[in-house]
Amino acid sequence: MAKPFASSADLGEKTRTLEVLADGVYALTAEGDPNIGAIEGEDFLVCFEALATPAAAKGWLDELRTHTAKPVKYLVLSHYHAVRVLGAAAYDAEIIVAHENTKRLIDERGQEDWDSEYGRMPRLFAHPETIPGLTHPTETFSDTYRIALGGDRGDLVLAYCGRGHTAGDIVAWVEKPRILFAGDLVEAEAALYTGDAFHHDWSGATLDAVKAFEAEALIGGRGGVTHGREQVDAAIEQTRDFIAIMLREVGAVHERGGTLKEAFEATHAALAPTYGHWPIFEHCLPFDVQRVWDEYEGIDWPRIWTAERDREVWDQLQD
Ligand SMILES: [Zn+2]
């Protein structure tokens, strides 16, 4: 029997956990659903990610409001994916900041990505009618963007570490408590979605740059918060290992002139013993393998996923 498309049959609600990681640093995790966070300045808030709809983001904001009533001055978008940006309206943020490549990707494929992700993960789109339209950053940067938090809180540094999960991922570094919001560049015991990724860059210099922060706590895109240097490095290295296995398996099949389907099966067999039980593993893998394959074909800029192309690749690989 064919597997249900992507996460379309995943309808069970997840338990959400709000953790206060340091004075004024909040992370909300949800058993493998997208994570989000917030950082307090003296008289304002910086929110990191926005979930898929304003209704979904409002639920998180209500929880955050039991800790602080400060207004949201900044909304940081770690990258362009719909399930992390389309809830932005709930925050009423003064400034929406993202990497310049994220702006380019939203302009180029934001609508297609919205349609694609809605089809893949309908459960995340609570009350989709509350989405007013695409989310566009109001400020962009190329290398770093510094926000002074005020008082003795130090700075929040947004940094580009190189191409990775997308062309425009950024991390948010809370300097004083040494806490890193890594977005989808790192996943803690959740499968990687790499359908728009640059696997060689990501598994090399980009993850090296993420590791170089030497964070004491790390919040990845999905999965629990990792605490302590050892666990943080372990999460980074698991992410690197997942990518390295895909590169190795797909590369070998491509090299010998095999098919995409063979590459998928080899990659699935190699990853499943260690990573097969992680959230969204079966969902992600066809799209991941297709993108690794495209990179070996010399396609540098990722092809746009449409709802139709999603189904084609799924039907070809996950039958
Ligand atoms: Zn993503």
Side-chain angles (χ1 to χ4, degrees):
M1 201 183 101
K3 290 177 184 162
F5 173 69
S7 290
S8 60
D10 168 11
L11 300 173
E13 282 303 317
K14 300 284 190 269
T15 302
R16 304 194 305 184
T17 307
L18 177 61
E19 282 182 60
V20 183
L21 300 174
D23 181 29
V25 182
Y26 307 93
L28 189 82
T29 60
E31 299 186 305
D33 273 1
N35 295 335
I36 38 182
I39 302 101
E40 272 186 52
E42 275 302 279
D43 51 12
F44 63 89
L45 274 173
V46 181
C47 283
F48 186 80
E49 313 275 41
L51 296 179
T53 68
K58 170 90 171 40
W60 138 247
L61 207 48
D62 288 347
E63 278 186 68
L64 187 61
R65 287 301 178 216
T66 65
H67 294 268
T68 169
K70 294 173 185 175
V72 180
K73 182 170 180 186
Y74 296 91
L75 169 61
V76 176
L77 308 177
S78 75
H79 62 289
Y80 80 96
H81 282 149
V83 296
R84 301 185 180 270
V85 305
L86 292 179
Y91 296 102
D92 204 18
E94 201 178 304
I95 296 165
I96 300 177
V97 58
H99 190 264
E100 61 191 17
N101 290 345
T102 291
K103 177 181 171 13
R104 174 183 168 188
L105 286 159
I106 289 169
D107 290 343
E108 179 197 55
R109 60 182 71 194
Q111 185 61 52
E112 288 85 349
D113 186 61
W114 178 350
D115 298 341
S116 159
E117 295 198 37
Y118 183 65
R120 292 178 185 185
M121 299 171 275
R123 178 174 56 78
L124 298 183
F125 285 78
H127 300 284
E129 72 284 357
T130 59
I131 304 171
L134 291 175
T135 300
H136 296 282
T138 61
E139 292 190 19
T140 61
F141 66 97
S142 57
D143 297 319
T144 55
Y145 183 103
R146 202 169 266 274
I147 297 171
L149 295 172
D152 61 357
R153 293 171 185 269
D155 282 358
L156 175 70
V157 183
L158 309 181
Y160 184 60
C161 296
R163 305 194 301 183
H165 168 74
T166 70
D169 305 87
I170 55 172
V171 299
W173 173 237
V174 197
E175 231 169 23
K176 261 192 140 173
R178 307 187 64 79
I179 295 170
L180 190 70
F181 289 87
D184 273 334
L185 285 176
V186 179
E187 309 294 355
E189 305 196 341
L192 272 60
Y193 174 66
T194 75
D196 305 301
F198 298 81
H199 295 84
H200 293 94
D201 295 11
W202 188 2
S203 61
T206 301
L207 281 179
D208 289 347
V210 173
K211 202 173 182 180
F213 283 98
E214 300 190 338
E216 291 294 337
L218 181 147
I219 304 93
R222 292 173 181 257
V225 176
T226 54
H227 295 275
R229 298 274 308 106
E230 203 171 310
Q231 270 197 52
V232 167
D233 284 353
I236 293 168
E237 291 309 321
Q238 277 174 349
T239 301
R240 200 195 305 269
D241 184 57
F242 194 107
I243 304 166
I245 291 172
M246 289 201 294
L247 283 170
R248 185 189 74 208
E249 296 298 327
V250 176
V253 175
H254 189 267
E255 173 77 28
R256 66 168 168 78
T259 66
L260 176 67
K261 175 80 172 166
E262 287 165 355
F264 175 78
E265 278 162 5
T267 307
H268 193 286
L271 286 172
T274 312
Y275 303 113
H277 63 290
W278 283 4
I280 66 171
F281 177 79
E282 296 294 342
H283 159 164
C284 290
L285 208 60
F287 310 121
D288 292 1
V289 168
Q290 175 70 65
R291 173 58 190 154
V292 181
W293 185 269
D294 285 354
E295 279 200 283
Y296 280 114
E297 292 277 291
I299 300 170
D300 184 58
W301 193 246
R303 291 196 276 158
I304 296 175
W305 290 103
T306 62
E308 297 70 35
R309 185 168 162 245
D310 282 4
R311 295 281 177 172
E312 278 169 28
V313 170
W314 184 269
D315 291 344
Q316 192 187 346
L317 298 180
Q318 276 286 31
D319 57 6

